[in-house]
Short mmCIF file of all heavy atoms in Angstrom, two decimals:
data_model
loop_
_atom_site.label_atom_id
_atom_site.label_comp_id
_atom_site.label_asym_id
_atom_site.label_seq_id
_atom_site.Cartn_x
_atom_site.Cartn_y
_atom_site.Cartn_z
N ASP A 99 8.68 -9.77 17.01
CA ASP A 99 7.95 -10.41 15.93
C ASP A 99 7.01 -11.43 16.38
O ASP A 99 7.38 -12.28 17.27
CB ASP A 99 8.99 -11.00 14.98
CG ASP A 99 8.34 -11.56 13.72
OD1 ASP A 99 7.23 -11.12 13.41
OD2 ASP A 99 8.99 -12.34 13.04
N ARG A 100 5.86 -11.49 15.78
CA ARG A 100 4.86 -12.49 16.18
C ARG A 100 4.13 -12.82 14.89
O ARG A 100 4.01 -12.07 14.01
CB ARG A 100 3.76 -11.89 17.16
CG ARG A 100 4.38 -11.55 18.45
CD ARG A 100 3.35 -10.81 19.30
NE ARG A 100 2.20 -11.60 19.53
CZ ARG A 100 1.57 -11.68 20.70
NH1 ARG A 100 1.98 -11.02 21.70
NH2 ARG A 100 0.44 -12.42 20.81
N PHE A 101 3.68 -14.10 14.77
CA PHE A 101 3.16 -14.58 13.51
C PHE A 101 1.88 -13.90 13.04
O PHE A 101 1.52 -13.92 11.93
CB PHE A 101 2.95 -16.10 13.50
CG PHE A 101 1.88 -16.58 14.45
CD1 PHE A 101 0.50 -16.62 14.08
CD2 PHE A 101 2.14 -16.91 15.72
CE1 PHE A 101 -0.44 -17.11 14.92
CE2 PHE A 101 1.25 -17.35 16.64
CZ PHE A 101 -0.11 -17.40 16.22
N GLU A 102 1.09 -13.26 14.02
CA GLU A 102 -0.20 -12.76 13.74
C GLU A 102 -0.23 -11.21 13.55
O GLU A 102 -1.32 -10.63 13.41
CB GLU A 102 -1.17 -13.15 14.71
CG GLU A 102 -1.21 -12.51 16.12
CD GLU A 102 -0.17 -13.04 17.04
OE1 GLU A 102 0.92 -13.48 16.70
OE2 GLU A 102 -0.55 -13.03 18.24
N ILE A 103 0.87 -10.60 13.52
CA ILE A 103 0.87 -9.07 13.53
C ILE A 103 0.11 -8.46 12.37
O ILE A 103 -0.75 -7.64 12.44
CB ILE A 103 2.32 -8.54 13.68
CG1 ILE A 103 2.98 -8.90 14.94
CG2 ILE A 103 2.20 -7.02 13.50
CD1 ILE A 103 4.44 -8.41 15.03
N ILE A 104 0.47 -8.89 11.18
CA ILE A 104 -0.14 -8.31 9.95
C ILE A 104 -1.60 -8.59 9.91
O ILE A 104 -2.43 -7.77 9.67
CB ILE A 104 0.55 -8.84 8.72
CG1 ILE A 104 2.03 -8.30 8.65
CG2 ILE A 104 -0.19 -8.35 7.45
CD1 ILE A 104 2.90 -8.85 7.48
N ALA A 105 -1.96 -9.87 10.27
CA ALA A 105 -3.45 -10.14 10.29
C ALA A 105 -4.20 -9.36 11.25
O ALA A 105 -5.31 -8.90 11.03
CB ALA A 105 -3.55 -11.76 10.50
N ALA A 106 -3.64 -9.16 12.48
CA ALA A 106 -4.31 -8.51 13.52
C ALA A 106 -4.61 -7.07 13.17
O ALA A 106 -5.69 -6.52 13.38
CB ALA A 106 -3.52 -8.55 14.85
N PHE A 107 -3.66 -6.40 12.62
CA PHE A 107 -3.80 -4.94 12.34
C PHE A 107 -4.60 -4.76 11.01
O PHE A 107 -5.44 -3.87 10.94
CB PHE A 107 -2.49 -4.21 12.26
CG PHE A 107 -1.98 -3.89 13.63
CD1 PHE A 107 -1.13 -4.81 14.31
CD2 PHE A 107 -2.41 -2.77 14.36
CE1 PHE A 107 -0.73 -4.64 15.59
CE2 PHE A 107 -1.96 -2.58 15.63
CZ PHE A 107 -1.08 -3.45 16.28
N SER A 108 -4.42 -5.63 10.01
CA SER A 108 -5.16 -5.52 8.78
C SER A 108 -6.63 -5.75 9.01
O SER A 108 -7.51 -5.21 8.34
CB SER A 108 -4.58 -6.40 7.70
OG SER A 108 -4.68 -7.76 8.08
N LYS A 109 -6.98 -6.62 10.08
CA LYS A 109 -8.41 -6.81 10.45
C LYS A 109 -9.03 -5.56 10.96
O LYS A 109 -10.15 -5.26 10.66
CB LYS A 109 -8.52 -7.89 11.47
CG LYS A 109 -9.95 -8.26 11.90
CD LYS A 109 -10.06 -9.26 12.94
CE LYS A 109 -11.47 -9.68 13.22
NZ LYS A 109 -12.42 -8.63 13.36
N ILE A 110 -8.26 -4.79 11.75
CA ILE A 110 -8.74 -3.52 12.24
C ILE A 110 -9.13 -2.60 11.09
O ILE A 110 -10.17 -1.99 11.07
CB ILE A 110 -7.76 -2.83 13.28
CG1 ILE A 110 -7.65 -3.70 14.56
CG2 ILE A 110 -8.21 -1.42 13.59
CD1 ILE A 110 -6.49 -3.27 15.41
N PHE A 111 -8.19 -2.45 10.15
CA PHE A 111 -8.38 -1.61 9.07
C PHE A 111 -9.65 -2.08 8.17
O PHE A 111 -10.44 -1.30 7.72
CB PHE A 111 -7.18 -1.56 8.15
CG PHE A 111 -5.98 -0.95 8.81
CD1 PHE A 111 -4.75 -1.56 8.74
CD2 PHE A 111 -6.12 0.21 9.54
CE1 PHE A 111 -3.60 -1.00 9.37
CE2 PHE A 111 -4.96 0.80 10.20
CZ PHE A 111 -3.80 0.16 10.13
N ALA A 112 -9.74 -3.35 8.02
CA ALA A 112 -10.85 -3.99 7.22
C ALA A 112 -12.14 -3.68 7.95
O ALA A 112 -13.13 -3.25 7.23
CB ALA A 112 -10.67 -5.47 6.97
N ASP A 113 -12.19 -3.93 9.24
CA ASP A 113 -13.41 -3.70 10.03
C ASP A 113 -13.86 -2.21 10.01
O ASP A 113 -15.04 -2.00 10.03
CB ASP A 113 -13.18 -4.11 11.49
CG ASP A 113 -13.14 -5.63 11.69
OD1 ASP A 113 -13.42 -6.31 10.69
OD2 ASP A 113 -12.69 -6.05 12.76
N GLN A 114 -12.93 -1.31 9.89
CA GLN A 114 -13.24 0.11 9.92
C GLN A 114 -13.36 0.67 8.43
O GLN A 114 -13.49 1.87 8.33
CB GLN A 114 -12.21 0.83 10.65
CG GLN A 114 -12.03 0.49 12.12
CD GLN A 114 -13.18 1.05 12.97
OE1 GLN A 114 -13.77 2.07 12.65
NE2 GLN A 114 -13.52 0.32 14.03
N LYS A 115 -13.26 -0.20 7.50
CA LYS A 115 -13.43 0.22 6.03
C LYS A 115 -12.24 1.19 5.67
O LYS A 115 -12.44 2.11 4.94
CB LYS A 115 -14.75 0.85 5.77
CG LYS A 115 -15.97 -0.02 6.17
CD LYS A 115 -16.03 -1.20 5.26
CE LYS A 115 -17.31 -2.00 5.44
NZ LYS A 115 -17.33 -2.92 6.51
N VAL A 116 -11.09 0.99 6.25
CA VAL A 116 -9.91 1.74 5.86
C VAL A 116 -9.06 0.97 4.94
O VAL A 116 -8.71 -0.26 5.19
CB VAL A 116 -9.08 2.01 7.22
CG1 VAL A 116 -7.75 2.67 6.89
CG2 VAL A 116 -9.95 2.89 8.18
N ASN A 117 -8.71 1.68 3.84
CA ASN A 117 -7.97 0.95 2.78
C ASN A 117 -6.46 1.05 3.02
O ASN A 117 -5.98 2.13 3.32
CB ASN A 117 -8.31 1.54 1.36
CG ASN A 117 -7.74 0.72 0.28
OD1 ASN A 117 -7.86 -0.51 0.27
ND2 ASN A 117 -7.21 1.41 -0.73
N ILE A 118 -5.72 -0.09 2.90
CA ILE A 118 -4.29 -0.17 3.08
C ILE A 118 -3.74 0.03 1.58
O ILE A 118 -4.00 -0.76 0.73
CB ILE A 118 -3.74 -1.47 3.50
CG1 ILE A 118 -4.28 -1.75 4.95
CG2 ILE A 118 -2.23 -1.46 3.58
CD1 ILE A 118 -4.01 -3.18 5.40
N GLU A 119 -3.09 1.22 1.36
CA GLU A 119 -2.55 1.49 0.01
C GLU A 119 -1.13 0.95 -0.20
O GLU A 119 -0.74 0.68 -1.25
CB GLU A 119 -2.60 2.99 -0.21
CG GLU A 119 -3.97 3.60 -0.20
CD GLU A 119 -4.00 5.04 -0.66
OE1 GLU A 119 -2.98 5.73 -0.57
OE2 GLU A 119 -5.08 5.48 -1.11
N ASN A 120 -0.40 0.82 0.95
CA ASN A 120 0.97 0.32 0.76
C ASN A 120 1.35 -0.35 2.15
O ASN A 120 0.92 0.19 3.18
CB ASN A 120 1.94 1.42 0.43
CG ASN A 120 3.32 0.88 -0.09
OD1 ASN A 120 3.41 -0.28 -0.46
ND2 ASN A 120 4.30 1.70 0.05
N LEU A 121 2.02 -1.39 2.12
CA LEU A 121 2.50 -2.03 3.36
C LEU A 121 3.96 -2.51 3.17
O LEU A 121 4.26 -3.23 2.18
CB LEU A 121 1.58 -3.23 3.62
CG LEU A 121 2.06 -4.17 4.78
CD1 LEU A 121 2.26 -3.48 6.09
CD2 LEU A 121 1.12 -5.34 4.96
N LYS A 122 4.78 -2.11 4.14
CA LYS A 122 6.17 -2.59 4.20
C LYS A 122 6.36 -3.28 5.49
O LYS A 122 6.10 -2.73 6.58
CB LYS A 122 7.11 -1.41 3.98
CG LYS A 122 8.55 -1.77 3.89
CD LYS A 122 8.92 -2.34 2.52
CE LYS A 122 10.33 -2.57 2.29
NZ LYS A 122 10.69 -3.14 1.01
N ALA A 123 6.78 -4.57 5.41
CA ALA A 123 7.00 -5.39 6.64
C ALA A 123 8.44 -5.76 6.67
O ALA A 123 8.86 -6.45 5.79
CB ALA A 123 6.07 -6.54 6.72
N LEU A 124 9.19 -5.43 7.72
CA LEU A 124 10.58 -5.85 7.86
C LEU A 124 10.71 -6.67 9.04
O LEU A 124 10.38 -6.17 10.20
CB LEU A 124 11.51 -4.61 8.03
CG LEU A 124 11.38 -3.58 6.85
CD1 LEU A 124 12.12 -2.32 7.18
CD2 LEU A 124 11.90 -4.24 5.55
N MET A 125 11.03 -7.92 8.93
CA MET A 125 11.17 -8.89 10.05
C MET A 125 12.45 -9.65 10.01
O MET A 125 12.43 -10.77 9.65
CB MET A 125 9.94 -9.72 10.05
CG MET A 125 8.58 -8.97 10.14
SD MET A 125 7.17 -10.12 10.14
CE MET A 125 5.88 -8.94 10.07
N PRO A 126 13.57 -9.00 10.34
CA PRO A 126 14.85 -9.76 10.31
C PRO A 126 14.86 -10.92 11.31
O PRO A 126 14.57 -10.70 12.46
CB PRO A 126 15.85 -8.65 10.69
CG PRO A 126 15.12 -7.59 11.31
CD PRO A 126 13.66 -7.68 10.83
N GLU A 127 15.09 -12.13 10.82
CA GLU A 127 15.03 -13.32 11.67
C GLU A 127 16.03 -13.28 12.79
O GLU A 127 15.69 -13.74 13.92
CB GLU A 127 15.32 -14.56 10.77
CG GLU A 127 14.20 -14.84 9.77
CD GLU A 127 14.46 -16.04 8.97
OE1 GLU A 127 15.37 -16.86 9.29
OE2 GLU A 127 13.89 -16.14 7.89
N GLU A 128 17.18 -12.73 12.56
CA GLU A 128 18.20 -12.68 13.57
C GLU A 128 17.89 -11.86 14.79
O GLU A 128 18.31 -12.06 15.91
CB GLU A 128 19.62 -12.42 13.05
CG GLU A 128 19.77 -11.02 12.53
CD GLU A 128 19.24 -10.87 11.08
OE1 GLU A 128 18.70 -11.78 10.49
OE2 GLU A 128 19.36 -9.68 10.54
N GLU A 129 17.04 -10.83 14.61
CA GLU A 129 16.70 -9.91 15.67
C GLU A 129 15.37 -10.21 16.30
O GLU A 129 15.12 -9.72 17.37
CB GLU A 129 16.67 -8.47 15.14
CG GLU A 129 17.97 -8.01 14.57
CD GLU A 129 17.89 -6.61 13.97
OE1 GLU A 129 17.10 -5.83 14.39
OE2 GLU A 129 18.79 -6.28 13.17
N LYS A 130 14.58 -11.06 15.70
CA LYS A 130 13.22 -11.38 16.24
C LYS A 130 12.41 -10.16 16.48
O LYS A 130 11.63 -10.03 17.38
CB LYS A 130 13.35 -12.17 17.56
CG LYS A 130 14.22 -13.47 17.40
CD LYS A 130 13.53 -14.51 16.60
CE LYS A 130 14.27 -15.85 16.66
NZ LYS A 130 13.95 -16.67 15.57
N ARG A 131 12.63 -9.09 15.61
CA ARG A 131 11.86 -7.92 15.74
C ARG A 131 11.04 -7.71 14.45
O ARG A 131 11.39 -8.25 13.38
CB ARG A 131 12.77 -6.70 15.92
CG ARG A 131 13.70 -6.74 17.04
CD ARG A 131 13.11 -6.52 18.39
NE ARG A 131 12.49 -5.19 18.50
CZ ARG A 131 11.74 -4.81 19.53
NH1 ARG A 131 11.51 -5.65 20.53
NH2 ARG A 131 11.30 -3.63 19.61
N ALA A 132 10.08 -6.85 14.62
CA ALA A 132 9.16 -6.61 13.48
C ALA A 132 8.95 -5.04 13.35
O ALA A 132 8.79 -4.38 14.36
CB ALA A 132 7.85 -7.27 13.61
N LEU A 133 8.95 -4.54 12.19
CA LEU A 133 8.56 -3.21 11.89
C LEU A 133 7.62 -3.22 10.71
O LEU A 133 7.98 -3.66 9.63
CB LEU A 133 9.84 -2.33 11.56
CG LEU A 133 9.49 -0.91 11.09
CD1 LEU A 133 8.73 -0.11 12.13
CD2 LEU A 133 10.75 -0.17 10.66
N LEU A 134 6.43 -2.70 10.87
CA LEU A 134 5.45 -2.66 9.87
C LEU A 134 5.11 -1.16 9.60
O LEU A 134 4.92 -0.36 10.54
CB LEU A 134 4.09 -3.36 10.20
CG LEU A 134 4.13 -4.86 10.08
CD1 LEU A 134 5.06 -5.52 11.05
CD2 LEU A 134 2.71 -5.35 10.25
N VAL A 135 5.09 -0.79 8.31
CA VAL A 135 4.64 0.56 7.91
C VAL A 135 3.44 0.44 7.04
O VAL A 135 3.61 -0.02 5.89
CB VAL A 135 5.81 1.39 7.25
CG1 VAL A 135 5.35 2.76 6.90
CG2 VAL A 135 7.06 1.39 8.18
N PHE A 136 2.28 0.77 7.49
CA PHE A 136 1.06 0.80 6.76
C PHE A 136 0.77 2.25 6.21
O PHE A 136 0.70 3.16 7.01
CB PHE A 136 -0.10 0.41 7.62
CG PHE A 136 -0.19 -0.98 8.13
CD1 PHE A 136 0.43 -1.31 9.38
CD2 PHE A 136 -0.77 -2.01 7.42
CE1 PHE A 136 0.43 -2.58 9.84
CE2 PHE A 136 -0.81 -3.31 8.02
CZ PHE A 136 -0.19 -3.59 9.22
N GLU A 137 0.64 2.39 4.94
CA GLU A 137 0.11 3.57 4.43
C GLU A 137 -1.35 3.39 4.09
O GLU A 137 -1.69 2.55 3.33
CB GLU A 137 0.86 3.95 3.11
CG GLU A 137 2.36 4.35 3.38
CD GLU A 137 3.02 4.78 2.17
OE1 GLU A 137 2.44 5.46 1.23
OE2 GLU A 137 4.23 4.48 1.94
N ILE A 138 -2.16 4.14 4.79
CA ILE A 138 -3.54 3.97 4.73
C ILE A 138 -4.33 5.12 4.15
O ILE A 138 -3.81 6.27 4.22
CB ILE A 138 -4.20 3.51 6.08
CG1 ILE A 138 -4.04 4.69 7.14
CG2 ILE A 138 -3.57 2.25 6.62
CD1 ILE A 138 -4.74 4.49 8.37
#
Side-chain angles (χ1 to χ4, degrees):
D99 188 18
R100 299 170 59 139
F101 66 88
E102 76 274 37
I103 296 176
I104 294 175
F107 284 91
S108 60
K109 181 183 188 313
I110 292 170
F111 298 133
D113 289 347
Q114 297 289 331
K115 305 292 189 275
V116 172
N117 192 42
I118 300 170
E119 293 190 339
N120 194 22
L121 168 60
K122 186 74 173 177
L124 303 170
M125 301 178 183
E127 292 179 19
E128 64 277 4
E129 296 179 25
K130 304 292 188 199
R131 304 287 297 173
L133 171 62
L134 280 67
V135 180
F136 295 90
E137 292 184 35
I138 61 172

